[in-house]
Amino acid sequence: MAQATSRPYRSLLAALLSAALLAACSSTAERPKPANLPPVASLIGTKLVWSAQVGRVPGQAVPTVAAGRLFVAGADNQVFSIDAGTGRELWRMRLEAPATTGVGSDGDTAAVVTTRNDLVAIDNGRELWRVRLPARAFSTPLVAGKRVFVLTGERTVLAYDGRTGARLWSQQRPGEPLVLQQPGVLTAVGDTLVAGLSGRLTGLNPLNGSFRWEATVATSRGTNEVERLVDIVAPFSRQGSNLCVRAYGAAVGCVDADRGTLVWTRVASGPAGVHGDADLVFGADGDGVMRAWRRSNGEPAWTNDRLKWRDLGAPQALGRVVAFGDSSGLVHLVSREDGSEMTRLSTDGSPIVGAPLLAGPSLIVQTRNGGIYAWQPQ
């Protein structure tokens, strides 16, 4: 790779390389075929309470939940707000270009980034303002404290006034030249804005962007730029100030976001984020092996290879079960105690987008083909 290559081009190249890397990891020619699944265990009862169709999901536009509403992107450049309890459409809006991120919201203002690098703020289905970002973005904007925060593919965090769109500040953390075309971590813990920048979690002052702390979850150790990718990927697991994340293909770790200190880190391969509860953190390796770590110290709690080679995404912990979606549109509900099957849910056969979501008593997933499904335990 020529040293004279410009940074914007390198970011685009990073997106293409990471997409190729993910495709290679999931190629049926390269990977063993998974074993046939046994009949559904049905150890817990579930009921499909509503479903909807919004059309094929663009890019990295993962679904999100805020204030009892589901925010999704679909076909024809449209984004939707849906009542998560009933499936009733609250509003829809057509963007000028497809979304590249999920729709972030605080319950009032929503925000999304398009393929034109436009950050668009929305109020009840009406555009409030739009601004052109300096680089592509793949992470869902964070709307909090009457501000909109964005993490771009250049590892820059930007803050905008939620009502006017005026830029308030920007902060960049130099890192490896390549970045993943995959949603990263951007959240608030107390009065600290926390962003995943390369293999680190970084705490920022949301008022001016100044650095407060930095905790390294994983360090680049590969022999080439692709192998050195260790970006922090969404989703994450938070309990109070304890924030647990995955560094792509390298490690899982937890950070005390009040003190800015690393609690623990463990070597762990896998492309998708983690989730958990007060005691355990759950995730899947790149080969589909499910794992649980003890939240307090990172010690392994259990490993289960029953779903090996099924291209599992990030999980959602809910009570006594953990939900994993896969690339065939199945949602596997497994025991939090050992990963054994509790039941299995079917969708339209296309991959589950992002992680399953929890909204009140409902477990909600969106598929790549735009199907939305909400189940409740019986």
Side-chain angles (χ1 to χ4, degrees), residues 3-296:
Q3 292 182 352
T5 306
S6 68
R7 187 172 182 84
Y9 178 80
R10 289 171 74 84
S11 293
L12 175 59
L13 182 60
L16 297 175
L17 283 174
S18 60
L21 181 63
L22 290 174
C25 290
S26 61
S27 170
T28 54
E30 299 289 337
R31 294 157 65 93
K33 292 183 178 180
N36 292 328
L37 290 170
V40 181
S42 298
L43 297 179
I44 60 173
T46 59
K47 177 183 178 182
L48 183 66
V49 292
W50 62 264
S51 63
Q53 172 59 240
V54 297
R56 189 167 179 82
V57 179
Q60 298 297 323
V62 297
T64 61
V65 168
R69 301 177 185 180
L70 175 69
F71 296 90
V72 298
D76 300 323
N77 303 351
Q78 295 188 100
V79 291
F80 302 79
S81 174
I82 297 171
D83 186 297
T86 66
R88 180 174 64 91
E89 181 180 309
L90 301 174
W91 55 257
R92 71 170 68 185
M93 176 181 167
R94 177 167 289 178
L95 304 169
E96 292 187 356
T100 60
T101 70
V103 183
S105 178
D106 61 357
D108 293 318
T109 302
V112 64
V113 180
T114 74
T115 56
R116 295 181 180 178
N117 291 359
D118 286 336
L119 170 64
V120 183
I122 305 167
D123 180 14
N124 199 32
R126 177 181 62 87
E127 181 178 316
L128 277 177
W129 48 263
R130 72 174 59 203
V131 297
R132 183 63 54 88
L133 297 176
R136 299 178 71 187
F138 310 105
S139 302
T140 301
L142 173 67
V143 185
K146 302 187 183 303
R147 300 183 179 196
V148 179
F149 301 96
V150 179
L151 173 62
T152 75
E154 294 284 308
R155 295 191 181 88
T156 299
V157 182
L158 304 106
Y160 296 88
D161 184 281
R163 301 308 299 177
T164 67
R167 185 191 288 192
L168 303 176
W169 54 262
S170 67
Q171 185 63 265
Q172 186 175 30
R173 172 63 164 82
E176 297 295 328
L178 297 187
V179 294
L180 283 169
Q181 185 176 315
Q182 191 168 328
V185 170
L186 186 64
T187 189
V189 179
D191 65 348
T192 297
L193 178 68
V194 180
L197 301 176
S198 191
R200 310 165 184 87
L201 279 181
T202 301
L204 303 170
N205 183 335
L207 300 180
N208 57 24
S210 61
F211 289 107
R212 287 181 170 169
W213 53 260
E214 184 174 89
T216 300
V217 177
T219 303
S220 297
R221 297 182 183 275
T223 58
N224 60 58
E225 290 182 322
V226 174
E227 291 177 350
R228 288 199 296 268
L229 286 168
V230 291
D231 286 338
I232 304 294
V233 295
F236 57 87
S237 175
R238 178 187 170 192
Q239 293 285 320
S241 64
N242 184 269
L243 197 62
C244 299
V245 297
R246 181 187 295 277
Y248 177 87
V252 169
C254 292
V255 169
D256 184 325
D258 280 344
R259 300 179 179 180
T261 56
L262 182 68
V263 179
W264 58 264
T265 185
R266 294 286 183 271
V267 173
S269 64
V274 298
H275 201 250
D277 55 29
D279 299 315
L280 297 174
V281 178
F282 309 99
D285 291 350
D287 60 5
V289 173
M290 299 176 287
R291 297 185 185 275
W293 300 267
R294 301 202 180 279
R295 192 178 200 102
S296 60

